[in-house]
Structures are given as C-alpha cells and as structure tokens.
Amino acid sequence: AAGGLAGWGSRPAGRGAAPTFTPIHRAGYCAFYGECGRNPEVNISLVSSKVPCLSNTPARVAAGPLLALLRTVCPELVQGNAETTRVCCSLAQLRALQLSVALSGTVLSRCPACARNFANLYCNNICSPDQSLFTNVTRIVNRTTVQGTPQLAVVEYQCFYRQYFADDSFTSCRGVRLPATGGYAIDTMCGRYGARLCTTQRWLDFQGDKNNGLAPLQIDFQLVPNGTQPGDAIVPLGGTAWRCNQALSAQEQPCSCQDCAESCPPVIAPPTPQPHFLVGNANGALLLCGLLFGHFALVFVVALLCQYRRAKKKGTAPQPAPAPPPAAGRSARLSDASHRVLARAFRRWGTLVAGHPVTVLAAAAVLAGGLSAGLVTLRLTTDPVELWSAPGSRARQEKAFYDQHFGPFFRTNQVIVTAPGRPSSGYESVVLGAKNFSGVLSEDVLRALLELQERLAATTAWAPVAGREVTLSDVCYAPLNPTQPGLADCCVNSVTQYFQNNATRLAMTATQTDGKKTGTVDWHDHLIYCVNSPLSFKDITALELSCMAEYGGPVFPYIAFGGYPGSEYTEAEALIVTYSLNNFPRDDPRHEWVLSWERRFLEVVGDFQRDHGPNLSVAFMAERSLEDEINRTTGEDIPVFAISYLVVFAYIALALGEYTAWRRVLVESKVTLALGGIAVVLGAVFASMGFLALLGLPSSLVILEVVPFLVLAVGADNIFIFVQEYQQSQREPGETREQHIGRVLARVAPSMLLCSLSEVVCFFLGALSSMPAVRTFALTAAVAIAFDFLLQMSGFVALLALDARRQEVRSVGTGGEHGVPLPGRVGTEWAPSGRVPGWARGGQQGAQGGHGVPVGERMPRMGGGVPVGMRVFRGWHGVTLGSPGWAWGGRGVPLCPRYLGWTQGGGGGGLKVDTEWARGPQIP
Ligand SMILES: CC(C)CCC[C@@H](C)[C@H]1CC[C@H]2[C@@H]3CC=C4C[C@@H](O)CC[C@]4(C)[C@H]3CC[C@]12C
C-alpha cells in the first residue's frame, strides 16, 4: 500500500513497470469492485457510467438477479450453479456494462460470433473472478461519498490480454459490414484510423480511450505476445474467441458470407477435364491419325507398285482407264440435260458477245463504271464498336440505354509510369507505422508526373474544322463544374492529386509527436494516409492536407496505382494518370475538339517519354489510339497490297501468254488480256462496293483491302481456265472465230457458273452473321463474285474476242517474215500446242533442236504454243506420274498427221524432231 500511496495522482508510464495499486495478482481475486462515482476527468459521456472502486479482494459469489443478468450478459462467466459462480462486479456494474456494450456493439450485431467476442472482452475485464491476474490499476483518485466515507476510485488501469486472444476477437469482427454506411463496422470503432488502418491494438486503444464518449476511465490495453510473460505475477487473459463462421449454438446461424469471408461457401472447383485420350504417354488422337495416314500411304504405294509390275509383265504402258459408262440414273440424266441446256445457252451467248465485242465491252464498262460511281456515297466505319458488335445485341442495347440516360462513357486517356530496376525502400512513419515504398513512388517521379500534368494542362490543340484552339478545359470531364469548367475542374486521376497537384504541398514537412514517438512527417505519411482514406479532407498527420483531388473529387488508389500486392498501394509498381474527357457524340462538333486535343496529348506524352526514357518506362494511350491504330495498320498495308496486285498481274500476264519467239513476246504475252482480267476483277469489286454503298451499307478499310484479293483469286481461276481452253481448242473446219469462242465458252462456263454460284451462296450465308464487319465483308464478297462472273461472261469474253482478232492480224503481219502459216490456217496454229505437249518430246527435242537454229524459228516447235504455266505443270506432272503422261501423249497421236503437215508447210528444222517423236511406240 505504501508503494501505492506514492503513486497517487501521478500518471505512470511504461509497460509492466508501473507503480501498482494491485499488489495481489492471484486467481479468484479482484482488482476493483463496485461503483465509486463519476470520473472528474471525463466531461462528455453518452451514458453517465461510474468508475469502479479500488478493491484487491477475493471475488464475490454471484446470486439472485446478478447471476440472472450474468447469464444473459456474460454467459461464459457462469460456472455451474449459484454457489460456484464468483464475479468481481456488482449488479449495478453489470447493468452499466450491459448498457454500454449494447450501445457500442449494435454495429456488430449482424455477426453474433463477433458480438459475443466483443462483449466477452469487457465481461472478463469487469466481472472475471480472476480479474487481478490480468489487471493492474495504475491511477486512482480520492473521493468522499455523500455520507462522508473516503473512497479510492479507479481512473486508469492496465489490462493484459494475450495477443492471439485479442487478435482472434478483432479478426472475427474485421469483416462485419455496416449497411448504413456501406463500409465496415470497425470503421466506427477505430477512431482516426478507420477500418483500413485498424489493428487490434488501435481498435482496443480507441475503446479504452476515456474520450470516446463511452469509457468512464482510461484503459491501457497491453497485448502480450504469445510465449512471453509480463512479469509481476501477471497472467494475461487468454482463451478461445469464436470464429466468425461458428454458430454460437445449435439454434443460431454463423455470420453471413458478407460479414465473414470464412463463411462464404467454397468456390466449387470446375469438374476436372476429361483426361485426354492417351496411348501410353502419347496423344491418342494424333497417334490414330498418324497410323491411319501411314496405312493409306502404304496402300497407295503398294497399289502403285502392283500396277507398275503388272504393266511391266504385260510389256506395255498402262492404258487409261476406260471412261465410266454414261450414268443411267434419273438424277444423272437430269444433270446431263441441265448441263446441255446451259452449254447451249452459253454457246449462243459466247457467239453473240464475240460478234459484238466493242458494244459488249462498252456496255460492261458503263455498267461497272456506273455502279462504281456509287462509291462516292461510301461511308467508312472506323469505330470499333460499330465494326465488331451487332447493333441489336444485348450489350449494345444496354450501352445505348446507358448512353441515352447518362451520356456516353468518358474517353479515357492514360499514362502509365513504371521505374523498372529502381529499388524499393522502407519508410518508418511516426503516425502510421512502417511501410514499404516501391521505386516508382519517389519524390522525383512524383515531381516528373506533376510536371507532365502541368504541361498537359497548358497544352492547346488546333481543331481545323472548328477553326479554334482547344484546351483541356474545353473537352475534359468536370463533374463539379460542368457548365464553365476551368483547368482545375478537370477530372484527372493521379497520385499527385493527393497533393492537389501542388508542388509546394508535395514538399511540405512537419514535426509530429505521436504517443512516445516524435519525428518528421512528409509526403510519405500523407500518401499512406490517403490511400487508406481517399475521401478524407484532412489527414491525421501534422501536415493536415486534404486527400481530395484538385477538382474536388476523391482519387481512389486502385485507379491511381497499378501492380500492388493486396492493398499495399505504396508498393505499387506503376503510377497511372487518367484523363477523363467528355465523350461527345460523333456528330457533335466538339467531337473533333476532343480528337484534336487527344492528338496533342499523345505528342506531349511522347515527348515526356523521350525525356525520361532512361529512368522511367512510360506507356500511354488515348481513347483515339485504337482507331488510330486500325487506320495506321490499314494505311501501312496499302503499298503491300499494291505490290501484291502488281505481282499477281505480272504473273497472270506472263502465265497467260504463249511464247514462241522473243521477237513475238509483245504479241504473244497476253498483257491486254491480263490487264482486262484484272480490270474485270477490280470493276466487279468496285461495282459491288458502289452498289452496296448506294444501298447505304457502311464499309471498312479492311473490307476494301481484302475483298479484291478474294475476287482476284476466284476471277483469275476463271480467266486461266477460259483462256487456256481457248488456246488449246482447235477451230473446227468451217467454224468462225465467234463460233469458236462460243463453243469454248459452252465448255467452261457451266462449271464457272456453278462454281461462282456456290461461292455467292456461301457468302450470302455468311452475311447472316450479326457482326457488322463480317456481314459487310460477306455481302461485298458475294456481290463482287456475282458481278465478277457477269463481267467475265460479257466484258472478258469480248476482250478475248478482240485479242484473238488482234493476234490473228499480227500473226499474219509477222508470219510473212518468219514463215508462220497463212491467214487461212490460223486456226491450226493452236492445234499442235494443245495436243502435243512440250514435255512429251522435250528431251530429244531440246537436244536436237539445239544450237545454230535462229530463235525465231526454233521456238514455235519447241514451246508448241502451250501457255507457260501449263507447260510447267505438265512437265512436273509428266515426270512424277509417268503413266497418265503417256496416256495423254497417246491421245495426242491421232492429230499427228495434221501437225506434220503444218510443220512441213511452215518450214525447216522441226521435221526431224517431229518424225522422231512420231516414230514412238504410240503410233497406231
Ligand atoms: C466507442 C465504442 C467503440 C467503445 C466500446 C467499448 C466500451 C463498450 C467499453 C470501453 C470501456 C468500458 C467500460 C469500462 C469500465 C466500466 C466501469 C464498470 O463499473 C462498469 C462497466 C464500464 C462502464 C465499462 C463498460 C464498457 C466500456 C464502456
């Protein structure tokens, strides 16, 4: 007691070593008991609770109403029956306890386990029969009752809890929601720290603070780390706290998932995928395919070998398979008949066109040109949303609804700054404890960001259509001053906004004392505070800065930072500056303003990136960047496409020609024809685009680039087939050129028609897609292929007729000089070319037709007038698959006499070769 007296009125400091008014720390002993009036030091109080009296005495037996109340307020303390339950609190105390806990604990009532734990802390604190074990009264005041009896009132005491016990109680309450605020309940129980910065110690400290409106005295909560002893015979209170996912009794429910993460049902793992079909360790499907392929390959090779051996045995080359007997079925007859009808129609049409080539050509050109003129009404879509999402889709409907009621969503322009390789550093905050700061979160980077934002704020952009300079305030989203926004009103989300974009505030420092610690606070402390309480107008440091952005709104840390673990924002790898600009509708003139400003934004940030290149990695994009990129890549592709067209054109021109002599290259290369073919394709493409544009269908650059290729591929096929068929067929006796062309058309056009038709149908089916880009593409392609076929059947046939006429005339002109046949025999000029393939006699001929013969005269017999592409193909064909080659050669033989006749008439050199060839085994 002497020691106790010495400490009267003085405020003890330090843990454990305080002068004590609780000399006996023993189980079954109290530290205080009963009520000893108001605390003179506490003025404001919600409930006028009284402080307890100092009383280091054995605990009292609880009985009667006290026991009954104890059962409801602190059921954990009730042991057995009335005789054995002892407590250190009076009925009045228990009532006060009940009231205060009920008042403050309502916010926790959503989670029974937490509420119970919370109540338990104070039940033990005030009523536990072993109170003296973990309680150490450190300050008392003298008072006299009305009756004149002197009393010792407790005004401050230490309360020792095991760290784990307190932590468990705190954890069970951490997640409890406060629906009224949308936040957490402990937000109201942790004072200035709020829910985010709250720790067990801070939570208890606030509760034990005599200024909190409820506590009548000061409680010093001492959390004793597990395994250590505070000394002085003190035994910290431990025990088990309820976990928030535990139900207190069979009748009660555990806390809901909203209030307690542990209560959330486990996320059901998706069913494990079916194990792959494995054979041993190998992929079964692959193995099966390999085996199947190998099997077929083997069968093929064996079959070939068998055939070869049979042929050898017979001593002759295998004969061509006999033509299949004419199909007898009804459908076959029908298809035969329809084919005949088509052929007849095309023959008549071809003859007609070949007879009036100029008229048809003009008509085709006018039609194609006229439809192409529709291109002036073409609208190009570059908006990715318009391009790729179906207008009627759910997402689009919702977007339209949103846009209509809230205005289109802002345009985001972002700069993301990281500092790769910069070491992070620790920071010991006087007020807020230790935190790690990433390399990018340093003062110089923040200054650089600030400088960038100042530069951007000062940036103006020229809007050519509007004819005015545009500033950020003209286009920015300014939620708090939408009518006449200034630069400071613009919604810019950035870390520097925690300092209201003010360099002076960023540089501020102050000296602050917190508890026993004194130190300097600077931007670090403010930042730690703001990322935890972004809505605060005044931080808890001595800087007393606001966290609100310059424009007046909050900056949420998850928008301003990137790449942080959990919610450790100060360890963020990236700082993100976001400019939200107004998204004006596309037809609003201000849309152009935004685009202009964004262009300048990209330039300015590009400069910034270059300036800070070595230290910082700066990534950035504007809302317009996506469209820019689409336009850029398509623009960049144009030369590539142009070159490809040239290559395809050259190839067609070369491959279509039949070369007999160098001097005749100009006559024989089918430049005009190839040009015509390409013109037909392009005409078809333009006509289809013009046609669809006239119908009001928007197109896109991608389509403009791809469709011509597609149609060129399809169109070139038809050109080759048609021209080669014409070159290889022979004009029959008495047949005019027009009839000849008609006959050739009759042979190839039905297949072309069916082919084009099926392609058109396929593409029209593709046009059923709801994605605008795909639909437009399919429609354009379908129409283009249809036009291509029509133009080929008209314009190209006319061109071929003109070309044939030209060639005949030119051949006559040069024929005189070089001994090429007379006009009357022109038709036969093609005869040998078709029937006497170059490969069939190339070997001997190349050797024998050799040197010393003038080129002009040698070539006709050598090339035989077969188109180059064809010859290359046949050469390969002949070498690799010998037998069909022979068969073709054999078929050529019956024409031999004619061929001989021509070569003899034509003059020298070739006779020997031809006769040699004619002497071969195929001669009938
Ligand atoms: C503001 C909120 C969060 C604080 C919550 C903690 C409350 C419930 C705690 C803190 C201090 C506690 C008090 C400490 C001392 C006494 C004196 C005793 O004779 C009756 C109980 C009473 C009056 C306690 C009631 C509960 C109490 C008020």
Side-chain angles (χ1 to χ4, degrees):
L5 284 172
W8 270 37
S10 70
R11 197 188 166 87
R15 290 181 172 217
T20 178
F21 299 100
T22 317
I24 308 166
H25 295 292
R26 193 183 300 159
Y29 267 71
C30 302
F32 45 76
Y33 181 86
E35 293 184 320
C36 267
R38 300 267 156 69
N39 185 345
E41 295 164 8
V42 177
N43 310 321
I44 25 162
S45 179
L46 273 175
V47 287
S48 46
S49 295
K50 295 177 174 148
V51 294
C53 308
L54 185 68
S55 167
N56 199 190
T57 49
R60 282 82 169 159
V61 175
L66 177 61
L67 186 64
L69 191 59
L70 199 67
R71 273 189 214 283
T72 60
V73 183
C74 303
E76 273 84 359
L77 292 181
V78 181
Q79 268 142 18
N81 49 45
E83 273 76 63
T84 46
T85 299
R86 290 167 183 273
V87 287
C88 286
C89 56
S90 63
L91 183 61
Q93 275 183 296
L94 192 59
R95 285 212 184 100
L97 175 73
Q98 184 188 26
L99 179 67
S100 292
V101 168
L103 263 181
S104 57
T106 32
V107 290
L108 303 174
S109 59
R110 279 167 59 89
C111 179
C114 150
R116 189 72 252 136
N117 288 336
F118 175 71
N120 226 352
L121 285 179
Y122 292 100
C123 280
N124 279 303
N125 197 328
I126 308 295
C127 290
S128 166
D130 305 326
Q131 193 184 44
S132 66
L133 271 183
F134 51 87
T135 308
N136 200 17
V137 178
T138 50
R139 213 154 60 85
I140 52 177
V141 288
N142 248 341
R143 74 181 284 270
T144 8
T145 55
V146 193
Q147 289 81 26
T149 20
Q151 284 182 327
L152 296 175
V154 177
V155 287
E156 184 169 345
Y157 64 89
Q158 291 175 317
C159 184
F160 292 83
Y161 285 142
R162 275 281 168 211
Q163 179 87 46
Y164 77 88
F165 178 58
D167 280 349
D168 287 354
S169 303
F170 176 61
T171 312
S172 72
C173 293
R174 256 218 119 132
V176 179
R177 295 275 174 179
L178 192 58
T181 66
Y184 291 99
I186 50 161
D187 230 350
T188 64
M189 304 179 98
C190 224
R192 62 188 190 186
Y193 295 102
R196 214 184 269 272
L197 290 173
C198 201
T199 59
T200 312
Q201 184 73 55
R202 288 172 180 169
W203 186 54
L204 291 175
D205 282 351
F206 178 71
Q207 294 172 18
D209 185 348
K210 64 179 179 228
N211 297 318
N212 70 14
L214 272 185
L217 43 58
Q218 189 72 31
I219 310 175
D220 228 359
F221 284 99
Q222 305 278 338
L223 301 186
V224 184
N226 313 330
T228 56
Q229 289 301 329
D232 290 341
I234 290 174
V235 183
L237 179 70
T240 40
W242 298 93
R243 302 177 67 83
C244 64
N245 60 345
Q246 279 179 320
L248 298 189
S249 66
Q251 291 82 40
E252 277 172 284
Q253 292 286 318
C255 310
S256 71
C257 167
Q258 269 173 308
D259 298 301
C260 166
E262 291 163 61
S263 290
C264 295
V267 178
I268 296 156
T272 42
Q274 289 276 314
H276 283 294
F277 169 46
L278 290 177
V279 178
N281 269 340
N283 185 337
L286 203 70
L287 198 82
L288 216 70
C289 289
L291 278 178
L292 224 71
F293 177 77
H295 174 249
F296 283 130
L298 202 76
V299 167
F300 179 69
V301 168
V302 168
L304 263 188
L305 275 178
C306 287
Q307 201 185 4
Y308 178 70
R309 280 190 53 195
R310 215 181 312 138
K312 235 184 166 181
K313 236 185 249 165
K314 280 188 190 162
T316 52
Q319 292 300 311
R330 173 182 290 197
S331 71
R333 253 181 288 134
L334 199 76
S335 95
D336 251 16
S338 65
H339 194 270
R340 243 176 287 124
V341 169
L342 276 180
R344 211 175 308 131
F346 274 115
R347 176 194 290 265
R348 233 175 280 142
W349 170 250
T351 319
L352 186 78
V353 170
H356 310 86
V358 179
T359 326
V360 171
L361 212 56
V366 166
L367 187 82
L371 284 177
S372 304
L375 275 176
V376 291
T377 64
L378 183 73
R379 278 184 301 126
L380 282 187
T381 319
T382 47
D383 184 1
V385 174
E386 293 293 334
L387 215 52
W388 298 109
S389 70
S393 68
R394 180 92 208 156
R396 278 291 286 281
Q397 281 174 14
E398 262 153 32
K399 182 180 180 317
F401 181 85
Y402 182 95
D403 288 355
Q404 189 194 335
H405 293 274
F406 304 100
F409 194 74
F410 325 113
R411 302 176 66 93
T412 26
N413 297 273
Q414 283 192 320
V415 185
I416 301 173
V417 177
T418 55
R422 264 205 200 202
S424 61
S425 55
Y427 180 78
E428 183 70 45
S429 168
V430 186
V431 207
L432 299 151
K435 280 275 173 202
N436 257 344
F437 273 72
S438 64
V440 74
L441 254 182
S442 58
E443 200 171 338
D444 60 315
V445 180
L446 292 183
R447 284 198 184 287
L449 268 193
L450 208 56
E451 180 208 331
L452 170 69
Q453 289 171 67
E454 274 160 14
R455 238 193 277 170
L456 281 170
T459 294
T460 57
W462 177 252
V465 178
R468 54 165 285 172
E469 290 284 343
V470 178
T471 63
L472 173 60
S473 54
D474 290 326
V475 293
C476 77
Y477 167 62
L480 297 185
N481 188 2
T483 44
Q484 276 182 328
L487 277 173
D489 294 322
C490 290
C491 171
V492 180
N493 277 287
S494 160
V495 200
T496 55
Q497 288 280 28
Y498 289 135
F499 305 89
Q500 295 77 45
N501 281 352
N502 185 325
T504 327
R505 292 191 191 156
L506 181 62
M508 267 166 75
T509 55
T511 313
Q512 182 164 10
T513 312
D514 188 75
K516 290 128 234 166
K517 286 184 283 177
T518 302
T520 325
V521 288
D522 61 5
W523 64 271
H524 288 95
D525 304 78
H526 180 61
L527 199 77
I528 303 175
Y529 178 79
C530 286
V531 296
N532 289 300
S533 313
L535 289 152
S536 165
F537 285 101
K538 192 170 140 198
D539 68 19
I540 56 168
T541 71
L543 299 172
E544 303 196 334
L545 293 176
S546 163
C547 291
M548 289 292 185
E550 196 182 9
Y551 75 94
V555 174
F556 292 106
Y558 45 83
I559 291 175
F561 297 96
Y564 42 83
S567 49
E568 291 299 331
Y569 296 109
T570 56
E571 292 175 30
E573 278 169 50
L575 307 182
I576 305 171
V577 184
T578 310
Y579 281 79
S580 303
L581 305 186
N582 282 322
N583 201 353
F584 302 107
R586 275 174 188 254
D587 47 9
D588 188 315
R590 286 174 298 174
H591 184 65
E592 187 220 359
W593 301 6
V594 192
L595 290 183
S596 315
W597 194 85
E598 283 181 0
R599 187 165 359 94
R600 280 292 293 147
F601 167 84
L602 291 173
E603 286 165 14
V604 171
V605 184
D607 290 342
F608 176 77
Q609 186 189 42
R610 244 164 281 129
D611 295 349
H612 293 274
N615 309 321
L616 300 177
S617 135
V618 181
F620 56 98
M621 62 154 269
E623 181 83 16
R624 61 174 287 157
S625 295
L626 184 62
E627 270 180 61
D628 281 353
E629 199 58 17
I630 293 178
N631 291 343
R632 191 183 64 79
T633 43
T634 31
E636 262 179 10
D637 285 348
I638 287 176
V640 180
F641 277 75
I643 291 172
S644 341
Y645 281 120
L646 280 182
V647 170
V648 171
F649 164 67
Y651 171 72
I652 295 181
L654 273 175
L656 274 187
E658 35 172 15
Y659 302 98
T660 51
W662 284 114
R663 288 191 219 161
R664 295 167 45 84
V665 159
L666 279 182
V667 185
E668 287 167 346
S669 76
K670 302 279 186 208
V671 176
T672 7
L673 220 49
L675 255 182
I678 290 190
V680 160
V681 168
L682 290 186
V685 172
F686 286 134
S688 85
M689 283 174 189
F691 178 64
L692 292 177
L694 279 177
L695 292 187
L697 205 79
S699 187
S700 80
L701 272 181
V702 189
I703 296 170
L704 297 195
E705 284 177 3
V706 177
V707 171
F709 260 110
L710 191 104
V711 183
L712 194 66
V714 177
D717 266 9
N718 289 352
I719 291 171
F720 271 112
I721 292 172
F722 183 40
V723 170
Q724 284 174 1
E725 185 68 27
Y726 178 68
Q727 284 173 350
Q728 288 167 53
S729 84
Q730 194 183 12
R731 193 171 298 167
E732 280 163 4
E735 195 180 38
T736 64
R737 188 178 57 232
E738 288 76 33
Q739 285 166 339
H740 183 195
I741 290 177
R743 181 164 52 82
V744 170
L745 198 65
R747 282 186 53 169
V748 291
S751 326
M752 288 183 188
L753 174 69
L754 292 182
C755 188
S756 299
L757 210 63
S758 57
E759 277 160 0
V760 168
V761 167
C762 280
F763 275 115
F764 271 127
L765 283 181
L768 293 178
S769 159
S770 58
M771 202 187 279
V774 175
R775 204 192 36 218
T776 325
F777 170 78
L779 267 181
T780 317
V783 176
I785 289 178
F787 278 149
D788 183 54
F789 179 74
L790 293 181
L791 283 180
Q792 270 169 352
M793 287 304 112
S794 53
F796 191 72
V797 172
L799 260 180
L800 186 89
L802 284 177
D803 188 69
R805 189 196 288 174
R806 172 194 69 97
Q807 199 159 19
E808 284 169 21
V809 172
R810 290 298 296 269
S811 296
V812 175
T814 51
E817 293 160 34
H818 299 286
V820 183
L822 293 166
R825 307 190 62 179
V826 163
T828 53
E829 191 182 349
W830 281 284
S833 60
R835 301 303 182 211
V836 189
W839 56 265
R841 54 210 156 85
Q844 307 99 310
Q845 183 205 21
Q848 297 183 7
H851 313 278
V853 186
V855 177
E857 288 169 47
R858 180 165 54 91
M859 280 180 78
R861 283 168 305 279
M862 189 181 147
V866 178
V868 174
M870 193 77 174
R871 211 159 55 217
V872 168
F873 171 74
R874 284 199 190 159
W876 166 81
H877 192 244
V879 169
T880 47
L881 299 169
S883 50
W886 282 112
W888 276 23
R891 267 191 252 158
V893 170
L895 295 166
C896 206
R898 231 171 159 163
Y899 180 70
L900 283 175
W902 172 70
T903 40
Q904 274 159 357
L911 178 63
K912 193 172 157 204
V913 176
D914 294 323
T915 44
E916 205 162 279
W917 175 80
R919 250 187 273 125
Q922 297 88 359
I923 290 181

